[in-house]
Amino acid sequence: MRVITQLLLLGGIALSGIAQEAAHPLSRSQIVDLLLADVPARRVSILATQRGIDFEPSDEDLDTLRRAGADDDVLNAVRKAKRILPEQLRLQALRAEAKQLAASGQYAEAEKQYGAALLLAAKDPELNWAMGDVRLKQKKWRLAIESFRRAVESQPNNAEWHCDLGLALRQAGDAQDALEQFKLAARAAPRNPRPYEEVGAMFADRGNWAQALIAYRALGELKPDSPQVQSDIGQALRNTGDVKGAIAAFRQAVRLAPNDPVIHNNLGYALEESGDFKGAAEEYKLASQLAPGDAAIRANLDRITQRMKPPSLKR
C-alpha cells in the first residue's frame, strides 16, 4: 500500500509539472505526505531543490517535517530551497501571459498584464523593459520612455535597453536625449553596432548627413562586410556632395550584394549625377531586371534613356 501511495504522490507532482509551464513549488503538507509515504529522503530533497517551496520554513515547520521522518539532508534542502510564495506564482503567471500576448501581437492586452505584474514587482527591470517594449510598439512614446527609464536605472550597463530608450526618445522628438542614450549604449558595449545604426538613422532622417556619415563610418569598422552599411555610407557621401566617394561606396556595396536592386539603383543615381550616363543606364537596367515591378527604378531607367537620346533635328 505504501508503494502505491508513493507512486500516486510522485506521479501527481510530476503530472502537475507537465500540465503547466512551470512546476508548482512544494507545500509543507506535500513534503509531509511524501515523508509519511516513505518516499526516499534523497528524492524528497531533490524535489525540494528542483521545485522550491511555497512557505518560509520556521522552526515549527522543521520540527513537523522531522517528526514525519525528515533527515538532515531533507531539512537542509528545505532550508536552502527557493521560496516561491503565492504572490510570486501570480507574478510568474502574469509575466508568462503578457509575454504570450506580446508575441502574438496583442500589445494592448499585454500592456494590461504587465501593468498587473508591475503592481507586484514595481522595480523589476525585465518587467519595466517589457512594458516599455509593448508601449513602443503601440507608439505610446512618452509612456515607453517612462518604462525604459525605470529599466535602465536598474541595469545601467545594458546597451540594448539604452538603445530602446533612445529610440523612444527619438520618436518623441527629443533628439538630444536620444543621442545621449545612444552614447551611453556605445560606452557600455563598444563593439555593438546598434548605437551607431540608430545614430546614423536619426541624423539621416533629420537631413544632417555630415553627422550621419560619421556614425556610418564607425559602423563600417564594426561591419565591414555589410552591403547595407556601405550603401548608407554612399548615401551620406552623395548628400554631402562627395559623389565620387559615394560611387566608390556603392560599388563596394554592389560587390557585397550583387543581386540587390536598391543598391544598383543607388549606384546608378550617383553615376548619373557624376555625368556618367552610360554607367548609370547599365545600373538602372540591372536594377530593373532584378525588380521588374519597381516603379521608381523604372522611372530612373526611362529618364536616363531619354537623356542619352541625341537631340532631334528640325526640318
Side-chain angles (χ1 to χ4, degrees), residues 52-233:
I53 57 176
D54 69 358
F55 62 100
E56 284 288 349
S58 64
D59 290 340
E60 183 180 347
D61 293 326
L62 296 173
D63 285 340
T64 299
L65 296 179
R66 190 178 289 108
R67 286 195 298 271
D71 62 12
D72 288 342
D73 288 340
V74 171
L75 296 175
N76 285 333
V78 169
R79 289 189 188 98
K80 295 177 181 178
K82 182 178 179 181
R83 274 63 157 170
I84 305 175
L85 305 178
E87 186 177 277
Q88 292 174 298
L89 289 174
R90 174 160 169 72
L91 180 60
Q92 286 180 359
L94 288 168
R95 192 193 298 264
E97 185 177 356
K99 188 176 180 181
Q100 188 173 18
L101 288 166
S104 64
Q106 299 179 68
Y107 302 124
E109 291 303 313
E111 183 180 3
K112 291 177 185 177
Q113 296 304 310
Y114 280 129
L118 283 164
L119 290 175
L120 300 174
K123 295 183 178 181
D124 186 301
E126 296 284 347
L127 279 177
N128 277 297
W129 174 84
M131 175 65 99
D133 188 53
V134 295
R135 285 172 165 175
L136 187 70
K137 287 181 169 69
Q138 296 175 84
K139 299 183 179 180
K140 296 181 177 180
W141 312 130
R142 290 299 173 189
L143 290 174
I145 289 167
E146 290 177 12
S147 297
F148 286 142
R149 281 201 192 281
R150 283 192 285 269
V152 298
E153 283 171 5
S154 297
Q155 293 190 17
N157 293 321
N158 191 315
E160 289 296 324
W161 289 4
H162 278 294
C163 283
D164 290 334
L165 174 54
L167 178 58
L169 287 162
R170 174 188 161 198
Q171 295 291 353
D174 195 341
Q176 194 57 44
D177 276 357
L179 182 59
E180 185 59 32
Q181 291 302 318
F182 297 139
K183 286 180 179 178
L184 289 170
R187 289 193 202 110
R191 302 300 299 173
N192 186 340
R194 187 182 169 194
Y196 303 99
E197 292 169 346
E198 297 285 0
V199 170
M202 182 177 73
F203 281 125
D205 286 348
R206 294 166 66 86
N208 190 339
W209 290 102
Q211 291 298 316
L213 180 58
I214 293 172
Y216 288 142
R217 285 198 187 282
L219 185 58
E221 293 180 9
L222 296 174
K223 299 172 71 174
D225 297 326
S226 168
Q228 183 60 55
V229 173
Q230 292 302 318
S231 183
D232 288 339
I233 290 172

